[in-house]
Amino acid sequence: MKKKLVKTVHFRDIDFSQWYTDLCLKAKLISYSDVPGFFIYLPNGYFLWEMIQKFLNHYLKKSNHQNVYFPLLFSENLFQLEKDHIKGFAPETLIIDKISNQSLPSKLILRPTSEVIFSKYYSNIITSYRDLPKLFNQWCSVVRWEKNTKPFLRSKEFLWQEGHTVHASKKEALKETLYILNLYKKLGKKLLAIPFISGIKTEKEKFKGAVTTYAIETLMYDGQSLQAGTSHYLGTNFSKIFKIQFQDQNSVIQLAHQTSWAVSSRLIGAIIMVHGDDEGLVMPPYIAPIQIVIIPLRLNNSFLLTKVNFYYKQLFKKYRTKLDIQNKNIGWKFSHYELQGIPLRLEIGEQELKNDQITIFIRHNRKKIIINASELLINITELFKNIHQNMFDKALQRMTKNIYIANNYEEFKINLFKKGYVKMSVLANEAEEIIKKETGATARVILKEKLLNKICPVTHKKANQTILFARAY
Amino acid sequence: MKKKLVKTVHFRDIDFSQWYTDLCLKAKLISYSDVPGFFIYLPNGYFLWEMIQKFLNHYLKKSNHQNVYFPLLFSENLFQLEKDHIKGFAPETLIIDKISNQSLPSKLILRPTSEVIFSKYYSNIITSYRDLPKLFNQWCSVVRWEKNTKPFLRSKEFLWQEGHTVHASKKEALKETLYILNLYKKLGKKLLAIPFISGIKTEKEKFKGAVTTYAIETLMYDGQSLQAGTSHYLGTNFSKIFKIQFQDQNSVIQLAHQTSWAVSSRLIGAIIMVHGDDEGLVMPPYIAPIQIVIIPLRLNNSFLLTKVNFYYKQLFKKYRTKLDIQNKNIGWKFSHYELQGIPLRLEIGEQELKNDQITIFIRHNRKKIIINASELLINITELFKNIHQNMFDKALQRMTKNIYIANNYEEFKINLFKKGYVKMSVLANEAEEIIKKETGATARVILKEKLLNKICPVTHKKANQTILFARAY
């Protein structure tokens, strides 16, 4: 068995779930709160969320989306209107019946998602095709009374953004749905170093209230899939009920077409589960709260310290850099910053000083390189680019390698055991029910591929869809 | 009486309250929600909040503050611990007793402010002087069940930031309290073009749970004061109860000293009430959602449109610029953008085209100037600087002019009638009670000045403080 000198966290291969929780707590991303199921986002964790906000805001604003803020509480009556929607959300929605010291105007909903309150507003202000499109987004938290909670992945309150848009036609609304889906994939590719598989959800798995749900999914290290974001085409489901109508260019009254879409703090869970290793977090360089830590190997050499300070000042202007001159054991420092997943560690000892060089430890592949101090900035820029690409490629390779094909139900079960995705052509819904019950796997997305077989191996009826299955968070 | 051709809003001097609400709604800053007392922050309103966030985040991060996110819901038990604090907040705090479909672990509080949940966390993680200081801040919304609500100024839910810090000594905590107070004043001076008076709150008016509350106040156009932000030195009030203790450098156990501080979406109300006029909003240039609107005076002259497009492309790179080529009445466009308070309107007609000039309408003083098109960018930069300074100076002048001195209670009442602040030396608390009851005015801040008179004109007892009074929002 593998040995570790300093066992800071559980081994990833032995107890993945405990390894994950260890990392969240020990790298100080999150902390438990006084009410079970609620979490405190600590600076290291919240910073990741701020970087995600910055990335998405940049592209959303560029594409004419506008940020807004809609109330946390709204009346239950609104929520009851869309029957499928309420059915989907009712079990986890917090409905406030009674408060201690005040009277309530009516039962209130604590926002689990905001389709209904946006729709109500849109119905008040949209009258003409000239009012369209409306492209609103908000950053907020939502409350869902989940039973089994896990840091970042499932909690009674979580952070997210929710976009709610209104369009004059199905075509435009679908275009928006796909624009956002691609934006989420870009977020994965450029910032999180995470590849996403995307596709349409089955009827059984789609968002209640949507016509079509697109999702991005990705493979965690333990072989389970994580739904990391969704983009819904809502059709006229809400506009019918809330009367979001407009006069078109020919003065004909039309129902508006809507979309909604969201990513949440689950993405932080994905960063940990995709990239982390036995030594701790591995942060992709462009999102890392600290990108570079500089550790002088001697603290009693003033010339060395001057040099180190010089490097720090150079780097600090361009990168999130930390200089650690605490009087602590070097080994402790090394493992402390490895736990935090800081992409680069610069080591400067007397050897380096003499040769005007710097030793760089690269967190993600745990390799050391030596560079000339004069080429520091150029090297860092290049290193980040390579590290990011390598981390993305590694995750992509693992995901691609773990997509299996099943021609029959036995193969399905054997492949599922290998941990990953299994592709099979089935009779949707009916087969999904059986598969979920018997294997725990669910339909992740429908693949736009021709059928692998005409008969569904599970129901023995006519297959109608090729679906990517997996166990999922 | 003054006449307006297009009466878009009520006159400011005639019905200030209605004028204010008109502006909030017609300039699309805010909208009502389905539950009375809750508001929707629309893009124009939320943008102002984002600019405030950006400004404060910049300086907070520079001074080593860290953003976090603490839960919306926490148990009522926590809240009951600090007696003064609960007494201060109880009437407006939403305590959830019962929810429809779930059982509650205990009664839950919907965050009215977060001193207790931060303190609980701090008590778990702070053990040594090495753990200090902790400088956390969060951006979130809070819920307070207010009866009389008004857009941005008072609502059942509002947006704010709340800072919660822990320090090893009183000296450091007080330094933090004042650092933040000054940061808030800088926000006024650099971004909002609003001057703030600052000082300590009286015992009666201070934050319940604080040792000392510093506040920033400013004068609204109608002569009422607005408390726009507070910075509290909490002393050891919370650390005693929550046992936030640490071992100091001499291994002695000490109680930690804390601060908390906040500004809220009230600041948006202040921007409107300080700068707005009869034509609508007047936006300070650095915070304005749109800084420049370009209006071609002819739409059928293709050479003119090409020119206008050229200006737009130049400006768009540097400023939030809008080009309006809608086929609408020019007069309608003018008053529409005046209502929104856009700092500069560029008018380009055939006259301008011929002379290679641009007519610029300056919103805040409603003056027109003509510039050479070749000097456009230089002029805009200079104009913004001047407009910002002029708006600040105008607000400062109005505020300064409306600070009166009262040597007796009669003078106090007469001066209060003039609308503004009245300075008087009184016996705090006792005199405050009487003044509030008889005039509606409250103590805004204590002034660090020597007493104007030895005997309090209200209680006829010995005066102990010189206080700035005003009616307030």
Side-chain angles (χ1 to χ4, degrees):
Chain A
M1 200 181 125
K2 198 174 161 191
K3 265 192 202 167
K4 289 173 83 178
L5 288 175
V6 187
K7 188 169 181 310
T8 49
V9 293
H10 281 73
F11 289 118
R12 180 173 56 160
D13 282 325
I14 293 174
D15 189 343
F16 187 76
S17 176
Q18 193 58 51
W19 166 86
Y20 175 74
T21 309
D22 278 2
L23 283 197
C24 289
L25 298 175
K26 295 197 176 170
K28 295 192 181 153
L29 299 178
I30 217 167
S31 172
Y32 294 109
S33 159
D34 64 308
V35 183
F38 285 86
F39 295 95
I40 295 167
Y41 290 70
L42 295 173
N44 287 344
Y46 194 76
F47 184 88
L48 300 173
W49 188 238
E50 288 185 307
M51 292 300 285
I52 291 167
Q53 288 187 316
K54 201 173 153 187
F55 185 97
L56 289 179
N57 271 334
H58 173 78
Y59 287 101
L60 288 174
K61 291 191 176 192
K62 239 173 126 170
S63 50
N64 297 318
H65 293 77
Q66 295 178 301
N67 282 344
V68 293
Y69 184 79
F70 275 59
L72 173 66
L73 292 159
F74 47 88
S75 48
E76 198 211 7
N77 314 336
L78 278 190
F79 196 62
Q80 295 294 356
L81 291 173
E82 218 287 348
K83 296 299 170 199
D84 276 347
H85 187 59
I86 175 75
K87 220 164 38 186
F89 277 94
E92 290 93 33
T93 295
L94 205 145
I95 303 167
I96 303 174
D97 280 350
K98 188 173 165 299
I99 54 179
S100 278
N101 38 356
Q102 312 285 349
S103 68
L104 283 180
S106 69
K107 282 192 192 180
L108 294 179
I109 293 281
L110 205 54
R111 168 172 67 218
T113 181
S114 302
E115 275 74 9
V116 298
I117 187 166
F118 274 81
S119 292
K120 174 75 183 167
Y121 172 72
Y122 285 138
S123 77
N124 293 336
I125 59 147
I126 291 168
T127 56
S128 152
Y129 70 92
R130 286 185 203 90
D131 301 324
L132 298 174
K134 287 283 175 231
L135 309 172
F136 286 179
N137 174 62
Q138 76 179 0
W139 296 91
C140 61
S141 74
V142 287
V143 174
R144 298 180 188 173
W145 216 252
E146 302 279 359
K147 282 202 187 69
N148 299 311
T149 59
K150 200 177 185 73
F152 297 118
L153 297 186
R154 197 172 293 276
S155 48
K156 288 196 166 68
E157 181 193 13
F158 60 89
L159 298 172
W160 80 348
Q161 61 65 222
E162 48 178 326
H164 298 274
T165 70
V166 194
H167 306 264
S169 69
K170 177 175 178 174
K171 192 179 155 195
E172 279 177 40
L174 275 172
K175 196 176 151 196
E176 167 79 6
T177 312
L178 289 170
Y179 170 78
I180 295 295
L181 190 77
N182 284 322
L183 175 57
Y184 290 162
K185 289 172 88 164
K186 185 188 272 189
L187 170 72
K189 184 149 190 192
K190 302 271 180 199
L191 188 70
L192 316 175
I194 294 178
F196 291 119
I197 292 176
S198 68
I200 293 176
K201 286 276 169 186
T202 61
E203 277 303 301
K204 185 172 151 55
E205 297 288 333
K206 78 173 186 191
F207 177 70
K208 301 309 173 207
V211 172
T212 314
T213 290
Y214 288 84
I216 49 168
E217 301 262 337
T218 187
L219 190 68
M220 302 297 99
Y221 179 81
D222 68 340
Q224 291 198 64
S225 183
L226 183 82
Q227 178 179 303
T230 46
S231 183
H232 313 292
Y233 167 59
L234 303 176
T236 56
N237 287 351
F238 288 88
S239 66
K240 241 178 273 167
I241 291 156
F242 288 92
K243 301 203 168 44
I244 309 175
Q245 299 178 139
F246 65 96
Q247 212 165 30
D248 71 11
Q249 273 156 303
N250 308 315
S251 299
V252 180
I253 300 288
Q254 301 274 7
L255 282 173
H257 292 255
Q258 289 174 272
T259 83
S260 70
W261 27 275
V263 290
S264 74
S265 38
R266 282 202 131 189
L267 291 173
I268 301 173
I271 297 172
I272 305 165
M273 285 193 169
V274 168
H275 301 304
D277 66 21
D278 278 346
E279 316 308 320
L281 299 177
V282 179
M283 281 292 149
Y286 301 123
I287 199 173
I290 301 172
Q291 297 175 295
I292 303 165
V293 59
I294 307 177
I295 301 182
L297 301 181
R298 295 239 177 254
L299 294 174
N300 55 4
N301 179 335
S302 71
F303 185 57
L304 193 149
L305 287 184
T306 309
K307 205 69 190 201
V308 156
N309 250 308
F310 170 73
Y311 299 146
Y312 174 69
K313 276 181 192 152
Q314 265 192 300
L315 291 171
F316 184 78
K317 281 178 219 149
K318 210 168 158 196
Y319 299 105
R320 295 182 292 274
T321 308
K322 184 184 169 119
L323 167 62
D324 188 343
I325 49 162
Q326 290 176 92
N327 190 11
K328 279 188 174 164
N329 178 287
I330 295 287
W332 180 90
K333 286 187 186 179
F334 283 9
S335 49
H336 176 70
Y337 296 116
E338 281 194 52
L339 175 67
Q340 289 186 28
I342 297 176
L344 296 179
R345 178 176 80 218
L346 272 50
E347 301 171 14
I348 298 108
E350 277 161 357
Q351 191 65 29
E352 282 85 1
L353 196 65
K354 207 179 73 190
N355 302 330
D356 209 19
Q357 292 181 324
I358 298 170
T359 299
I360 299 184
F361 171 82
I362 300 166
R363 175 65 185 89
H364 94 102
N365 59 16
R366 311 199 72 240
K367 282 185 183 150
K368 281 192 183 185
I369 58 168
I370 294 169
I371 62 155
N372 290 324
S374 59
E375 289 159 356
L376 178 57
L377 278 175
I378 293 167
N379 271 287
I380 299 271
T381 309
E382 198 60 27
L383 272 170
F384 280 168
K385 219 171 104 187
N386 292 339
I387 293 171
H388 180 86
Q389 192 59 48
N390 290 345
M391 287 177 73
F392 181 85
D393 290 346
K394 193 175 159 194
L396 180 62
Q397 205 175 22
R398 188 199 296 142
M399 184 164 78
T400 315
K401 222 178 62 192
N402 286 293
I403 299 177
Y404 304 98
I405 296 171
N407 293 302
N408 58 57
Y409 198 18
E410 268 321 291
E411 267 181 35
F412 181 90
K413 288 176 189 166
I414 291 165
N415 282 320
L416 195 67
F417 189 71
K418 291 181 195 155
K419 296 184 173 177
Y421 295 101
V422 190
K423 197 194 285 192
M424 187 162 64
S425 297
V426 298
L427 173 61
N429 212 349
E430 214 170 297
E432 287 174 70
E433 297 268 8
I434 298 168
I435 288 172
K436 188 174 183 184
K437 212 167 128 186
E438 294 183 356
T439 71
T442 49
R444 306 319 303 159
V445 289
I446 301 167
L447 297 172
K448 270 193 197 152
E449 293 179 10
K450 62 175 185 180
L451 295 179
L452 296 163
N453 35 263
K454 285 187 176 166
I455 301 299
C456 165
V458 183
T459 61
H460 307 295
K461 296 178 185 170
K462 206 175 155 192
N464 62 354
Q465 278 170 346
T466 302
I467 293 175
L468 203 58
F469 287 90
R471 292 202 186 89
Y473 280 98
Chain B
M1 200 182 124
K2 199 174 161 193
K3 265 192 201 169
K4 288 174 82 179
L5 288 174
V6 188
K7 189 170 179 309
T8 48
V9 292
H10 281 73
F11 289 117
R12 179 173 57 158
D13 282 325
I14 294 174
D15 189 343
F16 187 75
S17 175
Q18 192 57 50
W19 167 85
Y20 175 75
T21 310
D22 278 2
L23 282 197
C24 289
L25 298 175
K26 294 198 177 169
K28 293 189 183 156
L29 299 177
I30 219 167
S31 171
Y32 294 109
S33 157
D34 64 308
V35 183
F38 286 86
F39 294 95
I40 295 167
Y41 291 69
L42 296 173
N44 287 345
Y46 194 77
F47 184 88
L48 300 173
W49 188 237
E50 288 185 307
M51 292 299 285
I52 292 168
Q53 288 187 316
K54 199 173 156 190
F55 185 97
L56 290 179
N57 272 333
H58 173 77
Y59 287 101
L60 288 173
K61 292 193 175 190
K62 238 173 128 170
S63 49
N64 296 317
H65 293 78
Q66 295 179 301
N67 282 343
V68 294
Y69 184 79
F70 274 60
L72 172 67
L73 292 158
F74 47 90
S75 49
E76 198 211 5
N77 314 336
L78 278 191
F79 196 61
Q80 296 292 357
L81 292 173
E82 217 288 349
K83 294 300 168 198
D84 276 346
H85 187 59
I86 174 77
K87 217 162 42 182
F89 278 95
E92 291 92 32
T93 295
L94 205 146
I95 304 167
I96 304 175
D97 281 349
K98 188 173 167 295
I99 53 179
S100 280
N101 37 358
Q102 313 284 348
S103 67
L104 283 181
S106 69
K107 281 190 191 182
L108 294 178
I109 293 279
L110 204 55
R111 170 172 65 219
T113 181
S114 302
E115 275 74 9
V116 298
I117 187 166
F118 274 82
S119 292
K120 174 78 182 163
Y121 172 72
Y122 285 138
S123 78
N124 292 338
I125 60 147
I126 291 167
T127 56
S128 153
Y129 69 94
R130 285 186 206 91
D131 301 324
L132 296 174
K134 288 283 175 232
L135 309 171
F136 286 0
N137 174 63
Q138 75 178 1
W139 295 91
C140 62
S141 74
V142 286
V143 175
R144 298 181 188 171
W145 216 252
E146 303 279 359
K147 281 199 188 72
N148 299 312
T149 58
K150 198 176 185 73
F152 297 118
L153 297 188
R154 196 172 293 277
S155 49
K156 287 195 166 68
E157 181 193 13
F158 60 89
L159 299 172
W160 80 347
Q161 62 64 223
E162 48 178 324
H164 297 274
T165 70
V166 195
H167 307 265
S169 69
K170 177 175 176 174
K171 195 179 152 193
E172 279 177 40
L174 275 172
K175 197 176 151 198
E176 168 79 6
T177 312
L178 289 171
Y179 171 78
I180 295 295
L181 190 76
N182 285 321
L183 176 56
Y184 290 163
K185 288 171 88 165
K186 186 188 272 187
L187 170 72
K189 185 149 188 190
K190 302 272 181 200
L191 189 69
L192 317 176
I194 293 178
F196 290 120
I197 292 177
S198 67
I200 293 176
K201 286 276 170 185
T202 60
E203 276 304 300
K204 185 173 150 57
E205 296 288 332
K206 78 174 188 190
F207 178 71
K208 300 310 172 205
V211 172
T212 314
T213 290
Y214 289 85
I216 48 167
E217 300 263 338
T218 188
L219 190 68
M220 301 296 100
Y221 179 81
D222 67 340
Q224 292 197 65
S225 183
L226 184 83
Q227 178 179 303
T230 47
S231 182
H232 314 292
Y233 167 59
L234 302 175
T236 58
N237 287 350
F238 288 87
S239 66
K240 244 177 272 168
I241 292 157
F242 288 93
K243 300 202 170 45
I244 310 175
Q245 298 177 140
F246 66 96
Q247 214 165 28
D248 70 12
Q249 273 158 300
N250 308 315
S251 297
V252 180
I253 301 287
Q254 303 275 7
L255 281 172
H257 292 255
Q258 290 174 272
T259 83
S260 70
W261 27 275
V263 288
S264 73
S265 38
R266 281 202 131 190
L267 292 172
I268 301 173
I271 298 172
I272 304 165
M273 283 193 171
V274 168
H275 301 304
D277 65 21
D278 277 347
E279 317 308 320
L281 299 177
V282 180
M283 282 291 150
Y286 301 124
I287 199 173
I290 301 172
Q291 299 176 295
I292 303 164
V293 59
I294 307 176
I295 301 183
L297 302 181
R298 295 236 175 257
L299 295 174
N300 55 5
N301 179 333
S302 71
F303 185 57
L304 193 150
L305 288 184
T306 308
K307 203 74 189 197
V308 156
N309 250 308
F310 170 73
Y311 298 145
Y312 175 69
K313 275 182 193 153
Q314 263 192 303
L315 291 171
F316 184 78
K317 281 179 217 146
K318 212 170 159 196
Y319 299 105
R320 296 182 290 277
T321 308
K322 183 183 170 122
L323 169 60
D324 187 344
I325 49 162
Q326 289 176 92
N327 190 11
K328 276 188 179 167
N329 179 286
I330 295 289
W332 180 91
K333 286 186 185 179
F334 282 9
S335 50
H336 177 69
Y337 296 115
E338 282 193 54
L339 174 68
Q340 288 186 30
I342 297 175
L344 297 178
R345 178 176 79 218
L346 272 48
E347 300 171 13
I348 297 107
E350 278 161 358
Q351 191 65 26
E352 282 84 0
L353 196 66
K354 206 179 74 189
N355 303 330
D356 210 19
Q357 292 180 324
I358 297 171
T359 298
I360 300 185
F361 171 82
I362 300 167
R363 175 65 183 89
H364 93 102
N365 60 16
R366 312 200 70 239
K367 283 185 181 149
K368 281 193 181 183
I369 58 168
I370 295 169
I371 63 154
N372 289 326
S374 59
E375 288 158 356
L376 179 59
L377 279 176
I378 293 170
N379 272 287
I380 298 271
T381 308
E382 199 58 28
L383 273 169
F384 279 169
K385 220 171 101 187
N386 293 338
I387 292 172
H388 181 86
Q389 193 58 48
N390 291 345
M391 286 177 73
F392 181 84
D393 290 345
K394 191 175 158 193
L396 180 60
Q397 206 176 20
R398 188 199 296 143
M399 186 163 75
T400 315
K401 222 178 60 189
N402 287 293
I403 299 177
Y404 304 98
I405 296 172
N407 293 301
N408 57 57
Y409 198 17
E410 267 322 291
E411 267 182 36
F412 181 89
K413 287 176 191 168
I414 291 164
N415 282 320
L416 194 67
F417 189 72
K418 291 181 193 153
K419 295 185 172 176
Y421 295 101
V422 190
K423 198 195 283 193
M424 187 162 61
S425 297
V426 297
L427 172 62
N429 214 348
E430 214 170 297
E432 288 175 68
E433 297 269 9
I434 299 168
I435 288 172
K436 189 175 183 183
K437 212 168 127 185
E438 295 183 355
T439 71
T442 49
R444 305 321 303 158
V445 288
I446 300 168
L447 298 173
K448 270 193 197 155
E449 293 179 12
K450 63 175 184 180
L451 295 179
L452 296 163
N453 36 262
K454 285 186 177 168
I455 301 300
C456 164
V458 182
T459 60
H460 308 296
K461 297 177 186 170
K462 208 175 152 191
N464 63 354
Q465 276 171 347
T466 300
I467 292 174
L468 204 58
F469 287 90
R471 294 204 184 89
Y473 278 99

